[in-house]
Amino acid sequence: MSNARATRLSRRGILAAGGALGLGAVLAACGDDKGKGSASDKGTAEAESGPWSFKDDRGQTAKADRTPSNIVAFVGVAAALHDYGVEVKGVFGPTKTKDGKADVQAGDLDISKVTVLGNEWGQFNIEKYAALTPDLLVSTMFDDAGTLWYVPEESKKKILAVGAPSVGISVYDRQMTEPLQRMLELAKSLGADTTSAKIAQAKKRFEDAAARLRAATKAKPDIRVLAGSASQDIFYVSGSNLSIDLEYFKALGVNFVEPSPSVLKASGGWFENLSWENVDKYKADVIMMDNRTSAIQPADISEATWKKLPAVKAGQVIARDPEPILSYDKCAPLLENLAKAIETAKKVG
């Protein structure tokens, strides 16, 4: 887990909900048509008629009289559903960069065609949400308490009171393949044609990439990989447990450099924070760096200690997606890029 994620989790209890919108106003904004939904956008898989239900990773079953079409989702979930042909009406979470372009977590979404309810942590415009007459709210979960990612705890009751059922897909302490399958199941329930040639090809590419990564680690078992994230004052070294990508990569044989369990305990098992003076504490041949906009990117790191790292000097630094977009189309390249890095890496650490 990255620095940004941990900071946000620690701030969960003190962030304001953003506005003093009363529950009555929210419900009034819903109108009498709440839950009926509207026609799907062009390109969205045709929803099936009749009752709809989906049991999520909290063990809760979301139900509706018909397949939801006015979907609001965390941006990464929306990007995954888009890859399966299911479009959403509203998103929340990192969607636009400061220059107005699509954030890396938006994937192939056309962000001009969705209503952005909040672009940063703690932002969730309840008035806009209610105005969409949502019939489904979807997010991921980074804990075992059922906390919906980027749904502010302070305004959660008001958000849920709008009336849309919610679905949580867990991305906590499991391998990537499990939430990938769950997202595919959710997309299918929402009308996606999961038997399409496009999806079959993406899944085959993912499986081939996994085999390639396993072969690369078998051929070069001594190549050590470190997962890091950069902030102005601190360099974060991730443990290989809890994160869905690192757990899966480790299962495929990746030799991770990681802090001891006792050190990781301070962050709930996610990471160790190092000062830039101590960034060379761990020896690594390949460094995977957090590519989200909340983190400083490698090209912008000016610290001399960073530039002296053997992996950096050797050009063996690649991007990492700590919050993978859960479609086979987006996850296959993650495996391919890491496999290539290990295949071509020199032993420098």
Side-chain angles (χ1 to χ4, degrees):
M1 189 176 191
S2 77
N3 56 302
R5 185 180 304 159
T7 300
R8 289 164 176 165
L9 286 172
S10 67
R11 293 170 57 200
R12 190 179 291 278
I14 62 174
L15 285 170
L21 180 66
L23 177 57
V26 175
L27 296 177
C30 293
D32 294 333
D33 293 329
K34 176 169 65 73
K36 292 183 180 179
S38 62
S40 300
D41 290 335
K42 185 178 180 180
T44 302
E46 183 177 355
E48 298 176 0
S49 61
W52 173 88
S53 67
F54 184 84
K55 187 174 183 180
D56 74 358
D57 292 337
R58 298 170 297 183
Q60 299 178 13
T61 300
K63 297 180 180 180
D65 292 337
R66 53 166 292 169
T67 303
S69 58
N70 286 356
I71 304 167
V72 173
F74 173 68
V75 63
V77 171
L81 292 176
H82 170 80
D83 285 350
Y84 291 131
V86 178
E87 304 298 345
V88 307
K89 295 298 179 64
V91 298
F92 52 94
T95 305
K96 296 181 180 180
T97 59
K98 292 180 179 179
D99 59 4
K101 295 180 180 179
D103 189 277
V104 65
Q105 291 185 253
D108 293 332
L109 276 179
D110 183 344
I111 60 174
S112 69
K113 294 183 178 180
V114 293
T115 299
V116 181
L117 305 178
N119 200 58
E120 299 178 3
W121 182 259
Q123 295 180 348
F124 194 110
N125 191 310
I126 305 176
E127 283 185 295
K128 285 186 177 181
Y129 176 62
L132 290 172
T133 59
D135 48 19
L136 182 63
L137 175 68
V138 191
S139 190
T140 49
M141 301 183 297
F142 281 93
D143 59 30
D144 55 6
T147 306
L148 296 177
W149 190 232
Y150 267 80
V151 174
E153 285 293 292
E154 298 79 8
S155 53
K156 180 178 68 175
K157 289 183 179 180
K158 292 180 180 179
I159 293 168
L160 296 180
V162 170
S166 64
V167 164
I169 301 296
S170 181
V171 288
Y172 174 75
D173 195 18
R174 61 201 63 205
Q175 294 180 26
M176 182 189 293
T177 47
E178 185 175 341
L180 262 174
Q181 180 61 32
R182 293 291 285 145
M183 190 64 71
L184 185 66
E185 292 169 359
L186 175 61
K188 181 179 181 180
S189 80
L190 295 171
D193 178 9
T194 57
T195 63
S196 70
K198 179 181 177 181
I199 293 176
Q201 290 168 2
K203 189 171 183 179
K204 176 64 164 53
R205 180 182 174 187
F206 178 87
E207 293 169 347
D208 289 346
R212 178 181 173 184
L213 179 55
R214 188 186 295 278
T217 61
K218 186 175 181 180
K220 290 188 171 182
D222 295 333
I223 294 298
R224 306 186 74 197
V225 179
L226 182 148
S229 184
S231 69
Q232 183 174 353
D233 300 315
I234 298 174
F235 183 80
Y236 298 83
V237 179
S238 294
S240 62
N241 293 324
L242 304 185
S243 297
I244 59 171
D245 60 331
L246 302 186
E247 284 204 15
Y248 186 49
F249 298 158
K250 183 170 64 174
L252 293 174
V254 175
N255 182 8
F256 279 110
V257 177
E258 56 186 315
S260 67
S262 60
V263 171
L264 291 171
K265 186 177 181 180
S267 67
W270 290 101
F271 60 82
E272 175 182 3
N273 52 332
L274 301 174
S275 66
W276 284 104
E277 290 77 11
N278 296 316
V279 74
D280 60 352
K281 177 178 179 178
Y282 298 103
K283 306 300 181 183
D285 304 296
V286 174
I287 300 176
M288 304 173 66
M289 290 295 288
D290 186 345
N291 71 343
R292 293 172 298 177
T293 52
S294 58
I296 299 175
Q297 297 307 300
D300 299 320
I301 300 175
S302 59
E303 299 291 339
T305 49
W306 162 261
K307 294 180 179 180
K308 292 179 181 179
L309 293 178
V312 175
K313 292 172 68 175
Q316 296 177 175
V317 178
I318 64 172
R320 176 198 170 206
D321 292 56
E323 296 183 52
I325 293 172
L326 295 171
S327 70
Y328 289 103
D329 181 71
K330 294 298 183 294
C331 286
L334 308 184
L335 296 168
E336 292 168 345
N337 293 342
L338 181 54
K340 181 179 178 180
I342 293 174
E343 289 166 353
T344 59
K346 297 178 180 178
K347 183 68 180 173
V348 295

